Amino acid sequence: MTSLIPPGCPTVLTEDDRTGTSIETLRRAFMDNLFFIQGRFPEVATKNDYYLALAYTVRDRLLLRWLNSAKTYRDQESRTVCYLSAEFLLGPHLGNNLINLGLYEAVEEAMRQTGLNLKELLDQEEEPGLGNGGLGRLAACYMDSLATLEIPAIGYGIRYEYGIFDQEIRDGWQVEITDKWLRYGNPWEIPRPELILPVKFGGHTYSYTDDQGRYRVIWEPHQVVQGVAYDTPILGYKVNTANLLRLWRAEAVESFDFQAFNTGDYYGAVNQKIASENITKVLYPNDEQLQGKELRLMQEYFFCSCALQDMIRLYKQSGKQDLSRFHEKFTVQLNDTHPAISVAELMRLLVDEHLMPWEQAWDITRQTFAYTNHTLLPEALEKWPLDLFGSLLPRHLQIIYEINRRFLDEVRLQYPGDNDRLRRLSIIDESGCRYVRMAHLAAVGSHAINGVAVLHSELLKQTVLRDFYELTPEKFSNKTNGVTPRRWMVLSNPGLTRLITERIGEDWVKHLDQLRQLEPLAADAEFAAQWRSVKHGNKERLAQYIRDRIGVTVDPHSLFSILVKRIHEYKRQHLCVLKVITLYQMLRDQPHLEMVPQTFIFGGKAAPGYYMAKLIIKFINSVADVINRDPVVRDRLRVVFLPNYNVTLGQRVYPAADLSQQISTAGYEASGTGNMKFALNGALTIGTLDGANVEIREAVGAENFFLFGHTVEQLQELRCNGYRPWEFANGHPMLKRVLDLISSGYFSHGDTELFRPLVEHLWQDDRYCLLADYQSYVDCYQRVLQVYQDQAQWAKMSILNVARMGKFSSDRAIREYCQDIWHVQPVKIVLPATAYMTS
Ligand code: GPV
């Protein structure tokens, strides 16, 4: 019996079909699942049958660890982190779980012996796209790190029936297709139909004094729905810890409204059921753009109420009745303001349902919550019209008024007579239409507030939360984002992982700082050659994918310059297009120009209602069409838009990049995390001093980073003096030619209207200062091309980038949260001698 289990990988002592890890056992368990779960024999089994049979085989090994974790946490009454997030952008489970179990090679071999190819089975998985972008993906990286660091944690969120839409490109435009990710079943979740919790909406409140003289408020809702729990185990890397991701689905309380049914209103009764289930039907596809829809507020309240009721249930399970130590058992992190309603909901549960005095409840609430802000964009700051809020959550509005009244009383003591400050700090925005400001609710109700990169945290204190910072500076800190090296290196870049591990061992996967040991190798010519060959292989595979998917041939020897992220004006994809057109213009002017061959790769989704973002996608595709077909270009320039950018595609793209484009207007990107994934995979960065770019540049060394553009301070000055973008356009002949070429209809079959909004925006207003940064960007690019011509120099810089990226592991970020905010300790999980934990 051969065993490919890496040393140090935890195994159970007995080798049974559900938990054993030898190749032979894995093969037998796999066939067993094909028969008895899928109900198939090999001759008729589809690839999906095989995928599911394998997924269940892996799941059994997960469950062993998960149940032991749950039991240990319960027995030891461990302090637990609860991460509340409206989004968890997990990406496919199978590959990641194999890596974390240390079973990737063993399963690959077991499949080979069965006549199957693991890679093909991995491709079968529909990724759970339960998030929009960076914020949701961060939550997933943090769940991975929490488990890897053996921290007891629960992720709470929403089980959307449809996740982020699939993007198709038709005639250059984005078309949205419903994401039916659950169509073929989800082997990674365990439904808990008995774990159901009621959630109320609407109606009214009344108050009375009870027989013990207590003032009590009763909330009579208009509608009650049920939250049903769906549990997914999240395994750490080569540890026995598997934490819980608990997502909630909304159901009608009864399948029919019996009274309506009996009075003959069958359709009315069924409608009631449909209305309940609509709450968790679909993810709002807006990234950093508020929609203000009632259903969205219902989603937010729905999952927060379920989460908090569940925590109280777990707390009481441990035998304690009185909730005075709730904050000692749980610490709750609010992932932006989407779960901020939790502050009012915990107060309601403690005061109304558990009859706790207000002051005590408020103490517990504030000690329970901490709040992470992820954006400074004004249009992304959540606020709810008072009437909408009050009609949906009448009791919460009262509670918020009371929180606000007491809060403003305290402020008054500190700043007597400063009415302006009171108005600015108030949870209720009273200028014009009245709103509940969710960031203020989160700030008042939390003991800790953080931004997600040094620059962002500073700007937060100077702008959006300035008055809160002046009031309670001790609450504020920075927690720079990080990414998990398991998914974003080990799984997605096996070539580089092998090369690094050969030289410095495998410790770096858990202690990313260890990558620093690569520094001396930057001068090693043989190592550099291997390094370049790994990158080239990754580029070849991406080139093949591009050919298969969109029929464009790209040269893997060309410089791969990549910009993938949500489409947003502040992220300035169109600045990169201006640069591409500039290169094209040069080639048209000088057909024999010797130029470094370059491939520009774009990818990203636009919010369906964001007109400008969709026009930018059309713009990229239109420019790509013209350039890729123009013979004058020969093989010196290619432009590609990859449809449906998601986690799965990210795993192909980051390892294949030479150049990472991080070109947002300074002051707008809170952190960015794609920037980290690129650099970790050996891409060099061309970027502005924005978000975490600042810290990446510091870490890798200014000489290994291509910096351009105005700083936050310079932009502020520019705007103070009245920014006149047309002066920049008129002042730079090349820029003017580029804009004129677009306006002439050159990229739109002569249509001079199509891209007019885009060009006019730039010319007149240019909110994100593309024209101000254009020259600096173009100049910087020249430096990039110069260095790229010296492949040895490029490889050296690439190695140094990777060697110095250790700080950007999500493990580092989670350690900081644990020490500074959560005050939680690791809990070791030991597997018992038998699978059923009876020993
Ligand atoms: I607020 N972010 C996001 O993806 N969606 C949102 O709704 C909000 C923020 C992102 C920021 O844009 C990134 O800069 C940041 O890296 C990421 O959140 C994680 O912090």
Side-chain angles (χ1 to χ4, degrees):
M1 196 162 66
T2 43
S3 173
L4 279 180
I5 304 159
C9 158
T11 53
V12 274
L13 299 180
T14 49
E15 184 73 16
D16 65 76
D17 277 12
R18 297 241 179 199
T19 61
T21 51
S22 72
I23 290 168
E24 197 175 303
T25 307
L26 289 167
R27 272 174 57 199
R28 196 174 51 243
F30 171 76
M31 288 312 290
D32 191 78
N33 286 332
L34 185 67
F35 273 60
F36 297 109
I37 293 187
Q38 287 311 105
R40 292 285 196 196
F41 51 90
E43 287 81 350
V44 297
T46 64
K47 238 180 223 149
N48 194 55
D49 288 323
Y50 284 126
Y51 158 70
L52 285 171
L54 180 56
Y56 284 113
T57 308
V58 173
R59 188 179 92 163
D60 284 336
R61 276 95 196 136
L62 280 189
L63 288 187
L64 172 75
R65 287 156 181 82
W66 187 41
L67 293 169
N68 275 285
S69 303
K71 186 167 186 330
T72 308
Y73 297 159
R74 190 187 152 105
D75 293 348
Q76 299 190 8
E77 300 187 13
S78 314
R79 177 166 166 81
T80 301
V81 177
C82 296
Y83 199 84
L84 263 62
S85 180
E87 306 185 5
F88 287 91
L89 189 45
L90 298 168
H93 289 277
L94 179 55
N96 193 245
N97 282 329
L98 288 175
I99 296 289
N100 284 9
L101 279 167
L103 286 179
Y104 194 97
E105 281 82 11
V107 165
E108 198 170 38
E109 176 60 19
M111 291 302 99
R112 203 190 57 74
Q113 292 180 10
T114 316
L116 295 165
N117 178 331
L118 175 59
K119 289 233 164 58
E120 280 180 23
L121 299 188
L122 290 173
D123 284 342
Q124 283 297 306
E125 182 170 352
E126 288 248 17
E127 83 167 63
L130 308 186
N132 276 286
L135 171 136
R137 184 52 233 177
L138 186 77
C141 283
Y142 281 2
M143 289 304 291
D144 178 273
S145 285
L146 281 161
T148 297
L149 296 174
E150 304 178 287
I151 304 293
I154 305 175
Y156 281 115
I158 299 174
R159 182 181 177 277
Y160 300 105
E161 186 174 337
Y162 304 118
I164 187 67
F165 60 85
D166 286 329
Q167 177 193 59
E168 280 184 11
I169 302 298
R170 294 191 199 146
D171 187 28
W173 295 96
Q174 166 176 295
V175 175
E176 299 92 18
I177 313 285
T178 327
D179 165 46
K180 300 191 175 132
W181 72 291
L182 291 166
R183 190 170 21 181
Y184 302 115
N186 174 9
W188 305 103
E189 71 183 4
I190 300 194
R192 302 284 188 206
E194 290 182 306
L195 177 37
I196 48 178
L197 295 167
V199 179
K200 304 191 256 189
F201 292 100
H204 61 276
T205 66
Y206 63 86
S207 59
Y208 68 101
T209 307
D210 71 10
D211 44 19
Q212 289 166 52
R214 283 180 304 214
Y215 175 76
R216 294 197 55 185
V217 178
I218 302 294
W219 175 16
E220 291 273 16
H222 166 74
Q223 183 192 7
V224 182
V225 305
Q226 257 174 19
V228 185
Y230 285 74
D231 291 351
T232 302
I234 306 290
L235 178 68
Y237 179 72
K238 293 189 183 172
V239 290
N240 291 320
T241 300
N243 282 330
L244 168 59
L245 175 63
R246 182 161 277 172
L247 303 180
W248 301 92
R249 187 174 76 85
E251 265 189 6
V253 174
E254 295 284 345
S255 37
F256 289 99
D257 176 337
F258 281 107
Q259 207 176 341
F261 188 52
N262 290 334
T263 55
D265 186 12
Y266 179 76
Y267 275 94
V270 175
N271 273 335
Q272 187 69 30
K273 175 176 154 65
I274 291 170
S276 302
E277 291 173 356
N278 274 345
I279 294 174
T280 53
K281 191 61 75 179
V282 57
L283 167 77
Y284 276 92
N286 312 291
D287 188 68
E288 300 191 62
Q289 221 183 16
L290 194 74
Q291 277 267 311
K293 290 277 190 285
E294 183 181 43
L295 190 61
R296 167 71 179 198
L297 181 57
M298 290 178 85
Q299 291 186 336
E300 294 182 354
Y301 175 62
F302 166 76
F303 92 90
C304 292
S305 179
C306 290
L308 288 166
Q309 290 184 65
D310 195 45
M311 286 177 230
I312 292 175
R313 187 186 64 82
L314 289 167
Y315 180 92
K316 294 200 161 182
Q317 247 181 24
S318 65
K320 293 189 282 292
Q321 274 313 303
D322 112 74
L323 287 161
S324 62
R325 309 190 134 208
F326 182 80
H327 56 288
E328 294 175 13
K329 168 72 187 160
F330 293 111
T331 176
V332 179
Q333 193 67 29
L334 303 174
N335 199 22
D336 213 81
T337 56
H338 316 143
I341 186 65
S342 299
V343 170
E345 174 66 356
L346 183 57
M347 284 301 287
R348 187 189 70 81
L349 290 167
L350 295 176
V351 172
D352 290 1
E353 303 210 341
H354 294 87
L355 310 182
M356 190 182 278
W358 180 279
E359 291 75 11
Q360 188 189 8
W362 184 238
D363 267 0
I364 291 172
T365 297
R366 272 204 303 195
Q367 292 185 70
T368 298
F369 291 109
Y371 158 52
T372 305
N373 171 288
H374 294 265
T375 187
L376 304 170
L377 278 190
E379 64 266 39
L381 296 177
E382 283 194 299
K383 50 181 196 171
W384 295 102
L386 226 56
D387 46 353
L388 185 159
F389 194 99
S391 73
L392 198 66
L393 303 169
R395 178 54 182 148
H396 296 78
L397 189 54
Q398 292 170 349
I399 290 172
I400 287 170
Y401 276 138
E402 182 62 13
I403 292 172
N404 201 36
R405 187 184 67 78
R406 290 169 183 248
F407 168 61
L408 294 180
D409 277 349
E410 280 172 33
V411 177
R412 235 175 248 113
L413 289 179
Q414 211 169 321
Y415 299 96
D418 194 346
N419 287 326
D420 224 41
R421 186 180 297 267
L422 290 176
R423 209 168 321 117
R424 293 197 309 266
L425 278 166
S426 174
I427 301 174
I428 310 295
D429 179 352
E430 315 245 13
S431 60
C433 285
R434 297 165 79 213
Y435 291 100
V436 183
R437 298 159 161 162
M438 300 309 272
H440 292 215
L441 178 61
V444 175
S446 295
H447 67 276
I449 302 169
N450 74 282
V452 290
V454 171
L455 175 66
H456 168 65
S457 295
E458 285 309 311
L459 294 173
L460 198 57
K461 294 190 288 189
Q462 290 168 24
T463 61
V464 175
L465 297 181
R466 177 185 184 142
D467 293 304
F468 288 92
Y469 177 62
E470 288 178 6
L471 200 62
T472 51
E474 68 283 357
K475 280 192 189 180
F476 284 74
S477 75
N478 171 250
K479 298 285 168 283
T480 298
N481 284 166
V483 301
T484 171
R486 273 73 67 182
R487 183 177 293 274
W488 297 115
M489 263 294 251
V490 181
L491 178 61
S492 57
N493 201 343
L496 202 59
T497 299
R498 212 172 303 125
L499 180 58
I500 293 173
T501 302
E502 273 170 18
R503 298 298 181 120
I504 67 170
E506 59 178 14
D507 241 28
W508 61 273
V509 178
K510 270 199 180 194
H511 303 278
L512 205 61
D513 284 325
Q514 298 280 326
L515 286 176
R516 202 166 287 277
Q517 290 179 58
L518 294 172
E519 267 194 35
L521 292 167
D524 179 329
E526 190 203 325
F527 184 73
Q530 293 175 320
W531 189 269
R532 280 163 50 192
S533 133
V534 167
K535 179 63 81 183
H536 191 76
N538 293 340
K539 289 168 73 178
E540 280 179 328
R541 276 182 291 277
L542 183 60
Q544 181 66 44
Y545 177 86
I546 291 171
R547 197 169 321 132
D548 294 348
R549 285 299 296 264
I550 60 171
V552 174
T553 306
V554 305
D555 177 4
H557 291 99
S558 65
L559 185 155
F560 278 20
S561 190
I562 310 193
L563 208 176
V564 287
K565 51 181 83 234
R566 286 299 289 252
I567 312 290
H568 210 297
E569 286 162 282
Y570 86 76
K571 296 179 191 279
R572 301 200 294 192
Q573 280 91 355
H574 45 334
L575 175 58
C576 187
V577 182
L578 295 184
K579 163 67 200 172
V580 169
I581 299 174
T582 305
L583 286 171
Y584 177 55
Q585 189 72 266
M586 285 164 59
L587 292 177
R588 297 206 318 150
D589 289 349
Q590 315 165 56
H592 301 292
L593 183 72
E594 264 202 47
M595 194 178 84
V596 176
Q598 293 165 68
T599 302
F600 285 85
I601 299 170
F602 296 86
K605 293 173 184 174
Y610 186 173
Y611 169 73
M612 244 338 155
K614 291 183 128 173
L615 190 58
I616 289 172
I617 292 179
K618 173 68 176 170
F619 183 44
I620 296 170
N621 281 306
S622 303
V623 170
D625 268 357
V626 170
I627 291 181
N628 295 345
R629 269 190 286 137
D630 191 335
V632 90
V633 164
R634 284 186 271 121
D635 46 10
R636 288 169 295 178
L637 187 57
R638 283 287 174 281
V639 185
V640 168
F641 186 90
L642 286 177
N644 203 36
Y645 178 66
N646 57 9
V647 173
T648 310
L649 191 44
Q651 291 174 194
R652 288 181 182 275
V653 161
Y654 295 116
D658 294 308
L659 189 68
S660 156
Q661 302 252 7
Q662 306 299 334
I663 61 176
S664 53
T665 318
Y668 285 94
E669 190 69 90
S671 162
T673 45
N675 48 3
M676 301 170 188
K677 294 162 198 166
F678 276 116
L680 183 60
N681 282 277
L684 304 188
T685 305
I686 183 167
T688 49
L689 281 180
D690 198 16
N693 293 356
V694 177
E695 289 157 80
I696 292 175
R697 177 167 173 267
E698 232 161 66
V700 304
E703 67 284 10
N704 299 308
F705 186 104
F706 298 102
L707 178 68
F708 77 96
H710 288 71
T711 63
V712 173
E713 292 78 19
Q714 290 166 341
L715 286 175
Q716 204 179 353
E717 198 185 307
L718 190 68
R719 284 175 175 137
C720 268
N721 300 331
Y723 175 43
R724 291 171 295 275
W726 57 90
E727 288 179 0
F728 281 88
N730 287 321
H732 296 101
M734 195 51 155
L735 174 55
K736 177 138 195 330
R737 285 180 70 198
V738 167
L739 294 173
D740 286 346
L741 192 64
I742 302 166
S743 300
S744 75
Y746 188 89
F747 299 106
S748 40
H749 306 284
D751 183 346
T752 53
E753 288 307 304
L754 183 60
F755 299 125
R756 186 193 293 279
L758 230 154
V759 178
E760 256 170 24
H761 247 77
L762 295 179
W763 205 272
Q764 321 265 305
D765 172 52
D766 194 17
R767 185 173 162 207
Y768 298 108
C769 304
L770 279 76
L771 302 196
D773 277 348
Y774 169 85
Q775 190 61 52
S776 161
Y777 183 47
V778 169
D779 293 345
C780 188
Y781 229 100
Q782 281 314 114
R783 300 206 303 277
V784 171
L785 296 184
Q786 250 169 38
V787 177
Y788 193 73
Q789 276 169 303
D790 182 350
Q791 282 288 299
Q793 175 63 12
W794 188 276
K796 182 176 171 202
M797 289 166 72
S798 166
I799 295 168
L800 286 177
N801 261 261
V802 175
R804 297 170 179 175
M805 280 298 291
K807 163 176 170 186
F808 301 95
S809 167
S810 44
D811 298 345
R812 185 270 314 149
I814 286 297
R815 278 198 198 94
E816 290 179 6
Y817 278 99
C818 287
Q819 276 170 28
D820 304 344
I821 299 180
W822 299 334
H823 308 293
V824 286
Q825 305 293 329
V827 172
K828 276 253 171 281
I829 307 299
V830 182
L831 295 187
T834 70
Y836 303 104
M837 314 192 309
T838 47
S839 66

